[in-house]
Amino acid sequence: MGDAGQTGESPLVLVADDDGFLRTLVREAMTAEDLRVVEAENGMQAIAAFSSHNPDLVLLDVTMPGMDGFEACAALRALPGGELTPVVMLTGLDDPDSVRKAYEAGATDFASKPINLLILRHRVRYLLRAKQAFDELRQSEARLASAQRIVRLGNWEWNLATDRWLWSAQMFSLFGVDPAAFEPTQTRTLERLHPEDREPVLRALEEARDKGKSYSLDVRILLPNGSTRFVHEEAEAVIGRDGRAARVTGTTQDISERKKTESQIRFLAFYDGLTLLPNRLLFVERFNLALSAARRQKGKLALLFLDLDRFKRINDTLGHSVGDRLLQGVGERLRRCVRSSDTITRGDNNRADDSVARLGGDEFIISLMDVAHGEDAAKVAARILESLAEPFKLDPHEVFVNASIGISLFPDDGRDLDTLLKNADSAMYHAKESGRGTYQFYSKSMNVAAVRRLSLETRLRKALERNELLLHYQPQIDIESGAVIGAEALIRWQQPEIGLVSPAEFIPLAEETGMIVPIGEWVLRTACAQLKAWHDAGHTSLRMAMNISGSQFRRQQLLPVLQQILAGTGLDPRALELEITESIVMRGADETINTLKEIRAMGPRIAIDDFGTGYSSLGYLKQFPIDVLKIDQSFVRGLATDPADAAITGAIITVARGLNLSVIAEGVETEEQRRLLQAGGCRLMQGFLFGRPVPAGEWGRWLEAGLRLTPPAA
Ligand code: C2E
Ligand code: MG
Ligand code: MG
C-alpha cells in the first residue's frame, strides 16, 4: 500500500510516541534517510493518522497514555490496508514477554529503547524495501488473477514428491467448487471429469510424470449442477536436478464459448435451419459411411426420395410463412415415421433421426439401413404417405399435402450415392406421373413384387372373413392294394383380383404377420369337418393329413384348438395325421417332444414332411415321437435319373423300416418313379400320377369306386 510507490514521492513513516523529544530524534533520522514523517502522540492519534495518511511504515511506542502500543497495533491491523504495512514496536522493556506480546498484536519487528538511531535507520530502510518487493509481487499476482479471471484460465501444479495438488483460485471456479471445502487430488479431479475424458487425462498425466511429456487436451468438466464445461488443458513436466520430472504444471482454460460457437457453426453447416433436419452435406457424409458398411456386410440399403406435390401452390396462395411451417411439420412427421420403423433402421434414435434429410425446397430424402426386402422400403413409403395424408393444422389454415416418393435400392439400383440418388429421383418422377400421392421403385420388377406383396398382406387379412380360402384334397395311395387310404389337405387362396395364390407364397407371409394362427385353425376345422362328412358317408377308413407350420406349432394354442375341434366334430382322432417339417422337430427339443407326445396321446399321428431336406441328423428320429416319414418330392423327381437321389430314397426307406415308421413318397409323377419306389419297398405314395389336389366335390370318382384307385384322367 502506501502512496510512495504510486506517487513517486518518498515513503511516509508514521512515528507514534508520547515522548516529543524522541519523535524529533526519529524524525531527523528518517529525514536523513530521505523519508517523510508524520507524527502521533498516542494510540488514538496513531490510528487516525494511519487512516488519513496511509503510511508505508509505522514506528509505534509500546507505552503511551490511553491506548497502549499493543492495542494500537492490533487496531491498525484491522484497518483497510493495515494488515500488510510493516509495524515496528519501540519497546523500552527489553523482555521476552513484551516481545511476544508485540508479535501477538501483529507487529512486524521491534526495536528496544534506548533507540540506536543508526540501527533503526537500517531496519526501516530494509523493511521498506521488503515491503515494496512484497507490494509489487502482490500487484503482479492480483494482475495475474484478474487476467486469469478474464480469460477464465486457471493454473495448477502437481508436486510429484508429495503428491500434493495446488490449484489457483480460478481452478476452483472452473470446477464450480468451493476452495474452502474442496481439496484437489488426482482422484477427486478425475471424478469431476466426463467419464470418457478420465482415461485420456490420466494417461497424459502419467506420461508427463514418467516420461516428462507435455500435453494438451480438450476436456469436459462435470459441474455440480449437472451441466458440462469444456476446458482446454495444457500441461508440462518441470524437470528436477536428477533429470526426472519433479512437478507437473498446467493451465486449464474454459473454452465452452468456443465449443458453443463451433457447434453452432457445425449446425449451420450440416443442418437445415428450417426443419432442423440434416442437410445434403451431412446426409452425403452419413450415407457414404452406411454404404461402405453395407458393401462390407453385403447388406441392402434403400433410398427414398420424397417431393411434396403442389407445394408451390401452397406457398403462393397461403404465403411463405405457412409454407415454412408446413415444411417443418412434414419434417417432423417424416422423422416420426422413420423412427417407428425400428425393425428396419435398427439402432439408436440418433441414427434414425439422421436418416431423414432435407435436400432443399420441398425435397426430402430418407435412407433406410438393413432392409431385408424391397418391400420393407415400400412399407415405410406407405407409412409416410399415410401420415402425410392427415391434414396439417397451421393456424388459421388446415392444409392438405401429398407427396410422391421414388425408391432406389443398394446394390440393385446403383452402387454409389450419385446413381442411387439419380435413380430415386427418376422413380419419384414416375410416381408423380402415375398419379401423385404414391411411391414407385426405380426397378420395374421391384415395383411389381413389392406392390403384390404389400397388397397381398392387406388382402390376406380379409381373406378369412371373405371366405376366399379353400382346401384341396390330394389322395394318398396304398400301391399294393390300390386303395385310396387318405387325403392331404392343401390350402388354396382364391384371390378375386389375382386368381389362385399358391400357399408357397402366402403361408410364409401369414407366418410373418401372425395370421397363420387363425388360418391354421380354419384349416384344422375345415379338414376335420370334411373327413367327418366322408366318414359319415361310410368311408370310415379314410385318413386326413394336415400341414402344421412352424410358428403355428410353437404357439401354445395348437393343443386346445385341436381338442376343441375333435370334441366338436366327434371325429376319431386316430384318423388324423399332422405334418410338420424337420426344422420344427429340430428346434427346442424338450418342449417339442412334450407337445408331440401330447398330440399323439390324443390320437393323431405325426408325420415329418419334406423329409431329407432339413439337413438334420438322423439321431433325432429315435428320440422323437413320430409315426411317418414323407420322402420329399425332390428325391422322388430324380429317382430314375440321379443315382444319388435313388440312394437317398433307398436309405430313407431302410431307416423308416428299421425304426418301425411308415414311409410315404410324395410328388410321384411317373410310372417309372412308382415302380422304383415300390421295388425299394415303399408302399404309400402321393402325386400327380394318382391324383392332383382337388376340391372335395371332385372326389366323387374315388368315392364311387369304393376308394379304389381309378386310372388317372388322361
Ligand atoms: P407339402 O406339404 O409338401 O405339399 C405337397 C406339395 O406338392 C403341394 O403343393 C402339392 O400340390 C404338390 N404336389 C403334390 N403332388 C405333386 C406332384 O406329383 N408333382 C409336383 N410337382 N407337385 C406335387 P402346394 O399345394 O402348392 O403346397 C405347397 C406347400 O404349402 C405344402 O408343401 C405345405 O408345406 C404348404 N401348405 C399347403 N397347405 C398348407 C396348410 O394348410 N397349412 C400350412 N401350414 N402349410 C400348407
Ligand atoms: Mg405336406
Ligand atoms: Mg412335402
Side-chain angles (χ1 to χ4, degrees):
M1 288 262 99
D3 297 321
Q6 283 147 29
T7 57
E9 280 179 291
S10 55
L12 179 69
V13 177
L14 166 62
V15 181
D17 200 313
D18 55 340
D19 181 344
F21 177 64
L22 192 112
R23 288 203 305 273
T24 310
L25 283 181
V26 172
R27 174 189 281 277
E28 277 172 7
M30 296 297 113
T31 314
E33 278 295 318
D34 208 13
L35 300 173
R36 293 175 299 132
V37 174
V38 53
E39 292 180 29
E41 288 177 23
N42 56 43
M44 294 303 285
Q45 272 188 22
I47 291 167
F50 186 91
S51 300
S52 52
H53 291 91
N54 206 4
D56 295 288
L57 185 137
V58 181
L59 296 174
L60 192 58
D61 187 21
V62 169
T63 40
M64 290 183 289
M67 184 188 275
D68 71 8
F70 300 127
E71 239 182 295
C73 181
L76 283 185
R77 285 294 186 228
L79 290 177
E83 72 273 22
L84 297 166
T85 308
V87 176
V88 179
M89 296 284 251
L90 306 176
T91 147
L93 333 151
D94 190 6
D95 64 295
D97 194 43
S98 62
V99 171
R100 182 184 53 77
K101 273 176 84 181
Y103 282 124
E104 271 172 13
T108 316
D109 203 351
F110 69 98
S112 44
K113 288 181 175 178
I115 287 175
N116 180 331
L117 286 174
L118 202 64
I119 290 181
L120 184 66
R121 277 167 59 176
H122 281 301
R123 190 165 285 178
V124 165
R125 207 163 14 155
Y126 166 76
L127 282 174
L128 282 171
R129 215 186 302 135
K131 175 173 191 275
Q132 194 186 348
F134 186 68
D135 280 349
E136 279 165 11
L137 183 64
R138 270 187 352 105
Q139 278 163 16
S140 97
E141 258 183 9
R143 276 196 298 273
L144 181 64
S146 79
Q148 290 199 350
R149 203 172 46 247
I150 291 165
V151 300
R152 306 188 56 69
L153 176 95
N155 65 294
W156 51 267
E157 181 177 294
W158 177 24
N159 186 318
L160 297 176
T162 61
D163 197 27
R164 275 190 35 100
W165 287 69
L166 286 179
W167 276 15
S168 74
Q170 189 61 29
M171 283 298 287
F172 292 94
S173 89
L174 284 176
F175 275 76
V177 292
D178 178 4
F182 185 86
E183 191 194 331
T185 63
Q186 177 170 301
T187 318
R188 282 188 209 132
T189 308
L190 289 175
E191 269 169 12
R192 286 173 181 268
L193 302 184
H194 189 285
E196 287 170 16
D197 296 342
R198 289 173 195 164
E199 173 67 26
V201 169
L202 179 61
R203 221 179 314 119
L205 279 171
E206 286 174 349
E207 292 215 326
R209 177 192 63 195
D210 301 337
K211 301 180 188 156
K213 269 195 175 170
S214 47
Y215 69 85
S216 118
L217 279 176
D218 281 357
V219 176
R220 286 159 292 178
I221 294 175
L222 299 178
L223 295 176
N225 68 10
S227 62
T228 308
R229 168 170 288 149
F230 284 90
V231 294
H232 177 74
E233 287 254 329
E234 291 276 357
E236 59 187 29
V238 178
I239 306 298
R241 282 207 199 101
D242 58 357
R244 309 220 337 238
R247 288 170 292 147
V248 180
T249 67
T251 58
T252 301
Q253 184 168 21
D254 190 343
I255 51 165
S256 300
E257 281 304 313
R258 195 183 91 203
K259 284 283 173 189
K260 214 165 104 195
T261 320
E262 271 173 17
S263 77
Q264 275 163 354
I265 289 171
R266 183 176 158 78
F267 189 84
L268 289 176
F270 287 110
Y271 288 84
D272 166 45
L274 184 63
T275 60
L276 307 186
L277 290 172
N279 63 14
R280 179 189 285 263
L281 215 60
L282 181 58
F283 177 77
V284 168
E285 190 183 298
R286 295 267 157 87
F287 192 79
N288 279 328
L289 283 180
L291 259 185
S292 21
R295 273 190 209 114
R296 270 197 314 277
Q297 294 154 13
K298 308 232 176 307
K300 229 179 176 43
L301 299 180
L303 208 60
L304 276 60
F305 195 111
L306 180 146
D307 186 286
L308 296 181
D309 296 334
R310 303 191 191 87
F311 175 70
K312 193 176 168 327
R313 219 194 55 204
I314 293 168
N315 234 351
D316 291 347
T317 52
L318 299 179
H320 286 270
S321 115
V322 173
D324 282 356
R325 275 149 66 208
L326 178 62
L327 290 174
Q328 286 169 339
V330 169
E332 188 40 51
R333 285 192 197 177
L334 290 181
R335 202 177 297 169
R336 237 182 299 136
C337 283
V338 173
R339 197 179 300 150
S340 57
S341 68
D342 41 12
T343 49
I344 295 162
T345 54
R346 271 178 282 162
D348 54 356
N349 269 343
N350 288 333
R351 213 176 118 193
D353 267 9
D354 288 339
S355 63
V356 180
R358 181 173 171 225
L359 288 192
D362 59 346
E363 289 178 348
F364 294 85
I365 189 122
I366 298 116
S367 60
L368 302 179
M369 317 291 162
D370 308 322
V371 290
H373 319 276
E375 297 93 60
D376 293 340
K379 275 188 195 166
V380 177
R383 185 162 56 220
I384 288 173
L385 293 175
E386 200 179 312
S387 121
L388 293 184
E390 290 284 307
F392 286 85
K393 295 201 171 53
L394 308 173
D395 248 7
H397 308 279
E398 203 179 51
V399 180
F400 287 86
V401 71
N402 259 327
S404 301
I405 300 177
I407 307 173
S408 64
L409 298 174
F410 167 88
D412 316 64
D413 304 329
R415 315 201 102 255
D416 58 84
L417 177 58
D418 282 349
T419 317
L420 288 166
L421 261 181
K422 198 184 76 206
N423 291 344
D425 189 26
S426 95
M428 189 273 294
Y429 274 99
H430 281 292
K432 289 230 185 228
E433 278 162 17
S434 60
R436 299 151 186 269
T438 60
Y439 64 87
Q440 282 281 316
F441 280 91
Y442 175 69
S443 113
K444 295 287 161 291
S445 60
M446 201 50 240
N447 267 336
V448 175
V451 167
R452 185 177 161 97
R453 200 179 141 102
L454 269 190
S455 64
L456 266 188
E457 189 178 323
T458 354
R459 287 171 219 203
L460 185 57
R461 290 190 185 279
K462 300 190 179 128
L464 259 179
E465 48 189 271
R466 289 187 185 164
N467 275 328
E468 291 169 7
L469 297 179
L470 47 121
L471 289 181
H472 282 184
Y473 301 92
Q474 186 176 31
Q476 298 182 328
I477 311 297
D478 178 345
I479 210 70
E480 305 281 324
S481 63
V484 175
I485 55 149
E488 177 176 5
L490 294 159
I491 194 168
R492 300 288 177 264
W493 179 15
Q494 182 62 51
Q495 222 284 311
E497 283 108 295
I498 303 179
L500 213 55
V501 183
S502 148
E505 192 167 344
F506 71 85
I507 290 291
L509 188 65
E511 290 195 303
E512 248 174 61
T513 53
M515 274 182 284
I516 192 67
V517 174
I519 290 177
E521 195 178 323
W522 177 87
V523 170
L524 283 177
R525 217 174 276 286
T526 312
C528 287
Q530 181 58 59
L531 184 61
K532 178 75 169 112
W534 282 334
H535 282 189
D536 287 350
H539 310 289
T540 48
S541 65
L542 260 187
R543 321 180 45 81
M544 181 68 79
M546 287 165 292
N547 296 283
I548 305 294
S549 89
S551 67
Q552 192 185 356
F553 187 81
R554 278 187 297 278
R555 291 177 210 242
Q556 298 304 311
Q557 293 104 318
L558 183 59
L559 276 171
V561 165
L562 197 60
Q563 231 151 10
Q564 188 215 341
I565 292 172
L566 285 171
T569 51
L571 192 64
D572 179 359
R574 287 169 305 176
L576 295 186
E577 195 168 289
L578 302 189
E579 296 189 3
I580 59 175
T581 56
E582 266 178 284
S583 57
I584 301 180
V585 182
M586 292 309 293
R587 224 185 291 187
D590 281 350
E591 219 173 301
T592 307
I593 293 181
N594 285 338
T595 313
L596 290 177
K597 278 189 180 148
E598 284 179 71
I599 292 174
R600 267 171 114 217
M602 285 163 57
R605 305 204 303 173
I606 305 289
I608 301 209
D609 206 353
D610 306 341
F611 185 75
T613 57
Y615 311 104
S616 48
S617 80
L618 288 176
Y620 71 84
L621 288 179
K622 214 171 54 185
Q623 314 161 19
F624 283 82
I626 49 183
D627 306 276
V628 184
L629 296 186
K630 284 191 94 171
I631 305 174
D632 189 64
Q633 43 182 283
S634 60
F635 305 119
V636 174
R637 197 174 306 132
L639 213 49
T641 48
D642 186 341
D645 284 343
I648 292 170
T649 307
I652 294 175
I653 295 168
T654 311
V655 166
R657 192 180 297 138
L659 291 171
N660 211 10
L661 302 175
S662 298
V663 63
I664 177 166
E666 61 180 332
V668 183
E669 291 183 349
T670 67
E671 196 48 48
E672 184 168 27
Q673 289 164 350
R674 183 199 62 78
R675 191 179 52 74
L676 288 169
L677 283 165
Q678 197 172 5
C682 178
R683 264 185 88 148
L684 305 181
M685 297 182 201
Q686 179 183 344
F688 292 170
L689 178 65
F690 314 106
R692 290 180 177 264
V694 289
E698 288 176 36
W699 267 56
R701 59 187 169 125
W702 291 305
L703 299 173
E704 277 154 26
L707 290 177
R708 289 286 122 188
L709 187 59
T710 53

